[in-house]
Amino acid sequence: MADDVILETEGLTKEFHGFVAVKDVALRVRRGTIHALIGPNGAGKTTCFNLLTHFLTPTRGRIRFNGREITGSRPADIARLGLVRSFQISAVFLHLSVLENVRVALQRKRGGSFDFWRSERVLDSLNGRALELIDAVGLAPFARTLAVELPYGRKRALEIATTLALDPEMMLLDEPTAGMAHEDVERISALIKRVAVNRTVLMVEHNLSVVENLSDTITVLARGEVLAEGDYRTVARSPEVIQAYMGSGHA
Amino acid sequence: MSATTDPYVGATLPAVAGVSPPHVVAFLIMTAALVAAPFFVYPVFLMKALCFALFACAFNLLIGYVGLLSFGHAVFLGSAGYGAAHSAKVWGFPPELAILFGTAAATVLGVVVGALAIRSKGIYFANITLAFAQMVYFFSLQAAFTGGEDGIQSVPRGTLLGVLNLKDTLTLYFVVLAIFLLGFLLIFRAIHSPFGQVLKAIRENEPRAISLGYRAEQYKLLAFVLSATFAGLAGATKALVFQLASLTDVHWTMSGEVVLMTLLGGLGTVFGPVVGAFIVVTLENYLAQLGAWVTVVQGVIFVICVLTFRRGVVGELGNLLRKSL
Ligand SMILES: Nc1ncnc2c1ncn2[C@@H]1O[C@H](COP(=O)(O)OP(=O)(O)OP(=O)(O)O)[C@@H](O)[C@H]1O
Ligand SMILES: [Mg+2]
């Protein structure tokens, strides 16, 4: 069935001044699954995310989302289609409160964001939903705190809440649990599992137990190329994968 | 939204969002002082300060809330001045229409300059705005209707809405005060609007705002056009007050002066630009007898202020009171 695949790339390639960071990648992400993209440092995972959301323009190749070609679409428009990314380096609005951070995302779906003559109090109607999302990532006690005051792990949690606020059909998470304390990792992976029930998640993750726990499918990338694909057991047994991870000093 | 009553706000945090009580109190104090002022201080001096204060507030909307440094904002002040002066003097427009016409001219220029500059960042943005400002300056020097070096002189002030005779200085003062307050409140509202919220998000982290589906350029362009429009309102009003539109207002030094006012008062604070404008205009007034040394003395004062009050006068005050002003 064609619409079983929500995101599909064909020959996706990115060269930086002759250096090939992503090479001929054909990715197929099935709707409603959690798909992990793993690989050693510098494998091209983040670059892939940047290509999918058009934060970088591919040198070659095509990207289809929901049966629609999005290769040349503007980043903001891709987000509006329901393909929303997070960033490897936590991306929050530092001098806005936690509540405002999430509300900015809710506000986008609400519309009326060019209204410069209206009081921002009209946004208070979004507070209820925002607080629910904040609670879901364990940040309820910090709702009024400026994001800049949060420790790193909590900033990541905030970023996930903000992404979720858009209720995207598909989320791209770049190392969602990086830098988190152990119990936060568990809370966030439980959250990802919960929110993935009615959406698709593509995530880059270095924590292999999180990957094993969550993912339906794993794509292994090394030096820009797809090395292996399948479920955790298949991939973990692949000699190329073992070789690549050993070779780069990863266990 | 008052954050001060909230149990989760740490004592060190300023009220983050919304119209806070300190804003209201400060606004009332400012308004009362400005209503009383013409009975104690020379009104023409006050009107000059008010025009510059509005100009600085318009400039601050861009640098303080979008993080864009325009180095050509004199274009909007000056061209609105020419528009208002020309339409009042040559076409016989009444003052309200002359101001409207001058302001609209600045809006149109704002759309053009904004559309060209908004995609660039940092120093490139400043460069493009400066280049454009120089073009407008040389155009103003050469064009016939601007009067070249002489400018447009003896602009009639006329009768506002057919009722208020603006030849009377006090009447004129209260009209200028009303225009200033209107502009100030509209800018304040824009900062504290759904649009202002998106602007802050873009200033904080543009890629993230884009990834949430905001077309950042469109928001920045609207902010630029609003800023140009209010700068124009200030320039058009100023032309009627001084009955003069001249090259001074399109010169790059004027673009520099508004940067100075905003930094002195406190960039990104609501009241800072107003305080900064009053300080600079007062200084110029008292230092006028020094002749060419004014700029040097101004420069020294500026350096001292920037080194001692990094956040500007209002920024430091707000920090002291732990309130965002
Ligand atoms: N803008 C760029 N210009 C030049 N080279 C780049 C650029 N972005 C990434 N690269 C290079 O492309 C390669 C892939 O980088 P990428 O960030 O995609 O890796 P990654 O798989 O996300 O690694 P990590 O696990 O460390 O996050 C790296 O060698 C990197 O140096
Ligand atoms: Mg990466």
Side-chain angles (χ1 to χ4, degrees):
Chain A
M1 227 169 71
D3 69 342
D4 194 23
V5 172
I6 185 167
L7 183 81
E8 186 175 17
T9 70
E10 222 178 271
L12 197 61
T13 301
K14 180 66 186 177
E15 293 171 7
F16 295 111
H17 311 288
F19 169 76
V20 189
V22 171
K23 189 174 175 188
D24 210 20
V25 166
L27 200 64
R28 288 164 69 88
V29 180
R30 278 174 300 127
R31 189 184 303 279
T33 60
I34 300 182
H35 193 127
L37 191 59
I38 66 169
N41 292 112
K45 305 177 297 286
T46 299
T47 306
C48 265
F49 273 23
N50 284 329
L51 295 173
L52 293 175
T53 50
H54 207 179
F55 275 70
L56 288 173
T57 304
T59 311
R60 274 184 300 282
R62 294 147 67 96
I63 305 158
R64 294 170 72 79
F65 177 65
N66 262 333
R68 172 178 184 159
E69 167 114 27
I70 56 161
T71 318
S73 302
R74 288 188 292 178
D77 296 341
I78 291 172
R80 282 155 180 264
L81 287 174
L83 178 58
V84 179
R85 68 172 299 177
S86 71
F87 293 81
Q88 178 167 0
I89 296 161
S90 111
V92 297
F93 305 116
L94 287 176
H95 296 94
L96 298 186
S97 69
V98 166
L99 179 70
E100 286 175 304
N101 264 271
V102 177
R103 223 170 51 170
V104 164
L106 292 170
Q107 185 187 339
R108 214 274 287 139
K109 295 212 96 178
R110 172 187 175 273
S113 285
F114 285 105
D115 295 357
F116 60 83
W117 58 89
R118 245 183 255 286
S119 165
E120 66 191 347
R121 248 172 269 153
V122 299
L123 300 175
D124 286 351
S125 61
L126 302 172
N127 288 358
R129 177 75 189 121
L131 289 169
E132 274 172 40
L133 288 156
I134 289 166
D135 193 34
V137 295
L139 289 179
F142 307 101
R144 307 276 171 171
T145 308
L146 289 185
V148 68
E149 313 265 319
L150 297 177
Y152 188 78
R154 295 204 189 277
K155 284 200 187 92
R156 307 254 19 169
L158 174 58
E159 194 184 350
I160 292 174
T162 307
T163 307
L164 275 175
L166 292 176
D167 194 17
E169 205 177 339
M170 179 164 180
M171 300 204 313
L172 306 182
L173 303 174
D174 200 346
E175 303 193 21
T177 69
M180 281 190 182
H182 185 67
E183 62 279 10
D184 290 332
V185 171
E186 275 174 11
R187 184 178 38 233
I188 293 304
S189 53
L191 177 72
I192 294 172
K193 197 160 196 159
R194 191 144 39 88
V195 301
V197 168
N198 42 18
R199 74 187 88 235
T200 312
V201 175
L202 176 63
M203 65 173 188
V204 170
E205 183 56 65
H206 278 305
N207 184 329
L208 290 182
S209 79
V210 173
V211 171
E212 178 175 14
N213 210 330
L214 292 183
S215 8
D216 302 295
T217 312
I218 297 162
T219 300
V220 185
L221 214 59
R223 294 201 199 87
E225 287 182 274
V226 175
L227 210 60
E229 193 169 279
D231 61 15
Y232 189 79
R233 290 163 56 83
T234 319
V235 164
R237 275 202 306 262
S238 153
E240 290 98 332
V241 173
I242 295 164
Q243 170 70 33
Y245 268 76
M246 296 306 222
S248 75
H250 262 267
Chain B
M1 188 169 32
S2 158
T4 40
T5 54
D6 199 296
Y8 295 133
V9 174
T12 54
L13 292 182
V16 214
V19 183
S20 61
H23 283 145
V24 177
V25 172
F27 180 78
L28 292 178
I29 294 174
M30 177 180 81
T31 309
L34 290 173
V35 168
F39 302 103
F40 302 97
V41 186
Y42 190 44
V44 176
F45 162 80
L46 289 172
M47 289 190 275
K48 182 178 179 187
L50 283 177
C51 291
F52 280 117
L54 180 56
F55 182 34
C57 287
F59 177 77
N60 185 45
L61 174 62
L62 203 57
I63 186 156
Y65 296 90
V66 197
L68 287 172
L69 170 63
S70 158
F71 209 74
H73 247 49
V75 164
F76 309 115
L77 183 83
S79 54
Y82 282 126
H86 184 81
S87 60
K89 188 176 177 183
V90 181
W91 300 337
F93 275 21
E96 64 278 7
L97 282 187
I99 290 178
L100 224 54
F101 177 75
T103 307
T107 307
V108 171
L109 275 174
V111 173
V112 175
V113 182
L116 289 172
I118 218 76
R119 275 161 202 276
S120 9
K121 296 196 166 74
I123 196 71
Y124 300 102
F125 179 83
N127 279 347
I128 294 174
T129 51
L130 177 60
F132 201 89
Q134 287 307 89
M135 256 167 59
V136 171
Y137 175 78
F138 287 112
F139 173 81
S140 307
L141 189 61
Q142 301 300 330
F145 85 96
T146 59
E149 305 262 12
D150 300 329
I152 306 175
Q153 300 182 4
S154 0
V155 177
R157 284 176 181 163
T159 313
L160 189 79
L161 301 165
V163 215
L164 294 171
N165 184 354
L166 299 185
K167 280 185 204 84
D168 177 57
T169 312
L170 213 55
T171 312
L172 181 67
Y173 174 78
F174 283 103
V175 169
V176 172
L177 177 58
I179 291 173
F180 164 76
L181 290 176
L182 178 77
F184 180 87
L185 287 175
L186 286 174
I187 291 172
F188 184 79
R189 173 42 75 81
I191 293 167
H192 298 95
S193 68
F195 171 70
Q197 195 68 29
V198 179
L199 281 187
K200 282 173 213 156
I202 292 173
R203 178 194 61 189
E204 289 294 315
N205 193 329
E206 187 168 340
R208 182 53 172 160
I210 292 171
S211 79
L212 295 178
Y214 288 110
R215 298 180 184 125
E217 283 137 33
Q218 296 180 355
Y219 289 86
K220 290 202 262 183
L221 181 59
L222 178 56
F224 192 88
V225 172
L226 285 175
S227 174
T229 302
F230 287 110
L233 180 60
T237 309
K238 182 168 175 284
L240 289 193
V241 170
F242 289 94
Q243 305 188 276
L244 171 72
S246 74
L247 285 173
T248 325
D249 286 357
V250 280
H251 198 249
W252 66 268
T253 49
M254 185 57 79
S255 299
E257 224 164 282
V258 76
V259 179
L260 179 85
M261 291 172 185
T262 310
L263 286 182
L264 266 186
L267 191 145
T269 63
V270 175
F271 293 93
V274 180
V275 172
F278 270 83
I279 293 176
V280 170
V281 173
T282 309
L283 275 181
E284 277 171 5
N285 210 34
Y286 282 108
L287 298 176
Q289 58 259 46
L290 296 178
W293 285 93
V294 178
T295 3
V296 178
V297 176
Q298 229 179 24
V300 172
I301 293 174
F302 179 54
V303 169
I304 293 171
C305 286
V306 169
L307 289 179
T308 44
F309 318 109
R310 276 162 212 272
R311 297 172 235 247
V313 175
V314 173
E316 292 292 346
L317 189 67
N319 193 45
L320 218 62
L321 302 172
R322 302 199 185 290
K323 298 275 187 318
S324 116
L325 291 171

